[in-house]
């Protein structure tokens, strides 16, 4: 990288970290000349444009026997396209000072591009080339494959990852959500450039596409720019068909044996999907129970009062075809049973009593206050808009979110806590050598 490109990259990072003006939160809905819908937060404070885009269908839609193809593809869209081989393509990224990359998750295949305004045309031309004419040359394909095979081995060795894989299998059975985004060693090893090209043809298509942008560009210019990037993609592809998942309704206790002093404990139970009318009541309840960091009940009871763990958290998992409530902590093997007994006690206490009025208002204040932070940089703003689009929450979501959280009553939270939380429905997986867990099932090493 020459001095000019280093300076450009440094300026891009510096400018992207500058805060948006208050006026920049207006969201515009644009249709490009080619008919692509785009959401835009326009802000000319600094000469930076961030583009976020996503395609419906992620790793859960990988065909049987081709598991991991979306993940492998995500690592190769900066490894050569058109006339540029891998080295030349990455040199071009460096020369333009781009922040550029792709991610494969369970339900989507997403990408991002951040560029100085003066480089926008060259940046989107490079993106278009990558999406329409990727090379998939043997050397980068094998290099990325080896990296992901190492990641698969790492998941199997790491106690927390191994416990999470076991938890997913217990909760979801053989549903595609219960498999690794990397696939298996066998499937990742067998993938070919033709599999990658078929992935591109079937799934990176305009009927699966969502686009959002933020920064120094007008609506008219953005429409043309987006067409330049995406109009060359196929119009239609193969639907990303993933079945609804059914969460195991009864609890269980399993152990993944690992010779480590601190056991990793993961737990989960059925939850709600994002579309559920009571989602925000459950969201507030979860914050009080275990999602609120040091202010949560579980942190207070397990860490502050008894010193059983450095930290415990819970979270709502709301992917397209399932919802569940999950959490984790680490504790010495000799303390696992005590910690689990206390976890179940607090789980049941929330079910029976719900939160206090003070706990609920504290949770509400935090959840209303933190969300605007998602608009403090162009990249965060674009990613936030993309997420809202892909979750089908509506362009007015920022306002409806505020209204819906504000409207939740303590009676609502108590009602959903009583209906949802079941201490005996917790599926628990412990990685380590916990003491005193009589009757726990031993999970075979994968």
């Amino acid at each position: 990288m020459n001095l000019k490109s280093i300076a450009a990259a440094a300026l891009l990072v510096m400018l992207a970290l500058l805060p948006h003006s208050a006026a920049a939160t207006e969201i515009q809905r644009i249709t490009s000349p080619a008919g692509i819908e785009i959401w835009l937060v326009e802000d000319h404070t600094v000469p930076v444009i961030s583009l976020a885009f996503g395609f419906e269908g992620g790793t859960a839609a990988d065909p049987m026997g081709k598991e991991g193809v979306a993940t492998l593809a995500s690592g190769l869209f900066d490894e050569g396209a058109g006339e540029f081989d891998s080295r030349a393509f990455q040199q071009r990224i460096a020369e333009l000072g781009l922040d550029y990359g792709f991610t494969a998750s369970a339900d989507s295949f997403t990408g991002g591009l951040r560029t100085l305004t003066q480089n926008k045309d060259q940046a989107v031309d490079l993106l278009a080339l990558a999406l329409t004419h990727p090379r998939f040359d043997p050397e980068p394909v094998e290099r990325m494959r080896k990296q992901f095979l190492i990641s698969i081995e790492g998941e199997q060795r790491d106690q927390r990852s191994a416990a999470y894989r076991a938890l997913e299998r217990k909760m979801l059975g053989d549903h595609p959500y219960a498999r690794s985004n990397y696939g298996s060693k066998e499937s990742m090893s067998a993938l070919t450039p033709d599999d990658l090209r078929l992935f591109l043809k079937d799934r990176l298509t305009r009927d699966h596409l969502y686009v959002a942008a933020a920064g120094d560009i007008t609506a008219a210019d953005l429409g043309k720019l987006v067409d330049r990037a995406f109009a060359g993609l196929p119009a239609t592809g193969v639907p990303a068909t993933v079945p609804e998942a059914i969460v195991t309704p009864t609890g269980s206790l399993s152990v993944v044996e690992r010779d480590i002093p601190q056991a990793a404990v993961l737990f989960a139970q059925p939850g709600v999907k994002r579309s559920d009318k009571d989602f925000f009541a459950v969201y507030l309840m979860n914050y009080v129970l275990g999602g609120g960091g040091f202010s949560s009940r579980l942190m207070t009871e397990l860490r502050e009062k008894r010193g059983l763990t450095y930290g415990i958290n819970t979270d709502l998992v709301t992917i397209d075809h399932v919802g569940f409530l999950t959490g984790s902590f680490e504790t010495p093997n000799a303390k696992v049973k005590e910690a689990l007994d206390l976890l179940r006690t607090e789980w049941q206490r929330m079910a029976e009593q719900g939160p206090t009025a003070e706990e609920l208002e504290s949770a509400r204040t935090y959840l209303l206050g933190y969300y605007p932070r998602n608009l403090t940089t162009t990249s965060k703003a674009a990613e936030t808009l993309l997420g809202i689009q892909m979750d089908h929450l509506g362009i007015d979501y920022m306002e409806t979110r505020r209204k819906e959280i504000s409207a939740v009553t303590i009676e609502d939270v108590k009602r959903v806590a009583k209906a949802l939380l079941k201490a005996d429905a917790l599926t628990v997986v412990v990685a380590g050598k916990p003491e005193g867990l009589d009757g726990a099932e031993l999970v075979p090493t994968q």
Side-chain angles (χ1 to χ4, degrees):
M1 188 186 301
N2 59 34
L3 290 177
K4 183 178 179 181
S5 63
I6 292 172
L11 178 63
L12 180 60
V13 171
M14 179 186 72
L15 293 177
L17 292 174
L18 293 176
H20 282 278
S21 64
T25 57
E26 179 187 356
I27 304 171
Q28 302 176 59
R29 189 198 307 267
I30 302 161
T31 301
S32 77
I36 299 171
E37 181 177 318
I38 316 142
W39 291 8
L40 168 65
V41 171
E42 188 174 341
D43 182 4
H44 302 282
T45 306
V46 293
V48 173
I49 302 167
S50 290
L51 194 67
F53 51 91
F55 299 88
E56 289 181 331
T59 59
D62 288 348
M64 187 174 297
K66 307 295 183 183
E67 296 88 351
V69 66
T71 296
L72 183 58
S74 73
L76 288 164
F77 282 106
D78 63 350
E79 292 284 354
E83 71 272 24
F84 299 107
D85 65 10
S86 176
R87 183 184 296 273
F89 193 95
Q90 294 187 19
Q91 178 64 29
R92 187 64 176 147
I93 292 174
E95 289 170 353
L96 295 172
L98 305 182
D99 186 359
Y100 166 92
F102 293 80
T103 301
S105 59
D107 288 320
S108 63
F109 187 88
T110 58
L113 176 70
R114 189 173 66 202
T115 177
L116 291 169
T117 306
Q118 67 188 33
N119 294 335
K120 66 182 186 299
D121 292 331
Q122 301 98 309
V124 298
D125 285 347
L126 196 66
L127 172 61
L129 191 66
L131 290 172
T132 56
H133 295 91
R135 291 170 64 115
F136 300 140
D137 290 333
E139 187 279 326
V141 168
E142 291 310 310
R143 174 161 41 83
M144 294 309 303
R145 189 200 312 276
K146 288 177 182 177
Q147 288 188 25
F148 291 131
L149 285 171
I150 290 170
S151 296
I152 292 171
E153 292 177 357
E155 279 192 339
Q156 294 172 349
R157 288 194 305 267
D158 178 74
Q159 63 265 24
R160 182 174 288 270
S161 295
Y164 192 73
R165 290 272 82 82
L167 182 72
E168 286 185 317
R169 290 191 295 271
K170 279 287 183 182
M171 295 289 290
L172 302 173
D174 60 358
H175 191 276
Y177 284 153
R179 67 193 186 198
S180 170
N181 286 343
Y182 301 112
S184 65
K185 288 182 180 179
E186 292 75 20
S187 65
M188 179 61 72
S189 298
L191 293 171
T192 68
D194 284 343
D195 295 325
L196 295 165
R197 293 186 186 98
L198 185 61
F199 168 84
L200 183 74
K201 172 180 173 292
D202 287 349
R203 292 164 62 185
L204 300 196
T205 56
R206 295 201 307 276
D207 60 332
H208 295 164
L209 175 67
Y210 296 79
V211 185
D216 182 31
I217 191 166
T218 64
D221 286 344
L222 178 61
K224 297 173 186 175
L225 198 72
V226 164
D227 281 353
R228 197 163 174 166
F230 301 109
L233 293 174
T236 59
V238 175
T241 303
V242 177
E244 288 295 301
I246 299 174
V247 181
T248 302
T250 56
S252 62
L253 178 61
S254 304
V255 173
V256 179
E257 284 197 333
R258 290 289 189 274
D259 191 13
I260 50 176
Q262 287 276 121
V265 183
L266 280 72
F267 53 92
Q269 69 142 81
V272 298
K273 294 172 70 172
R274 180 60 188 85
S275 57
D276 193 287
K277 63 182 178 58
D278 285 320
F279 173 78
F280 280 118
V282 177
Y283 194 41
L284 286 159
M285 180 273 295
N286 173 70
Y287 185 90
V288 174
L289 178 61
F294 284 98
S295 66
S296 74
R297 284 187 181 181
L298 289 174
M299 187 75 87
T300 298
E301 296 298 326
L302 272 73
R303 173 184 164 133
E304 300 302 320
K305 290 185 178 181
R306 295 169 179 83
L308 293 172
T309 181
Y310 286 111
I312 180 170
N313 71 286
T314 60
D315 194 15
L316 298 180
V317 174
T318 53
I319 43 185
D320 285 358
H321 300 283
V322 75
F324 51 94
L325 177 58
T326 186
S328 65
F329 63 92
E330 293 187 3
T331 194
N333 286 298
K335 299 290 186 179
V336 170
K337 185 179 185 304
E338 180 185 356
L340 282 175
D341 288 345
L342 189 57
L343 167 68
R344 292 190 175 96
T345 297
E346 289 304 311
W347 213 260
Q348 194 62 33
R349 183 165 75 94
M350 179 63 80
E352 293 173 356
Q353 301 175 12
T356 65
E358 182 180 0
E359 286 174 326
L360 177 58
E361 289 312 309
S362 177
R364 193 195 315 273
T365 297
Y366 175 80
L367 294 175
L368 287 173
Y370 94 86
Y371 201 76
R373 300 174 195 169
N374 292 331
L375 302 177
T376 55
T377 69
T378 60
S379 56
K380 284 185 179 181
E383 289 166 5
T384 298
L385 296 190
L386 180 67
I388 294 171
Q389 283 187 78
M390 297 194 76
D391 284 340
H392 307 288
L393 298 175
I395 200 166
D396 60 347
Y397 173 70
M398 293 187 185
E399 178 60 18
T400 59
R401 178 186 184 276
R402 183 189 66 79
K403 290 179 179 178
E404 290 181 22
I405 290 176
S406 298
V408 174
T409 67
I410 194 165
E411 288 76 18
D412 292 330
V413 181
K414 288 182 177 181
R415 172 176 53 81
V416 298
K418 182 178 181 180
L420 182 65
L421 296 179
K422 309 290 182 185
D424 59 358
L426 282 171
T427 296
V428 179
V429 177
V430 183
K433 287 193 172 181
E435 299 175 13
L437 298 187
D438 297 335
E441 177 188 357
L442 187 63
V443 177
T445 301
Q446 297 296 306

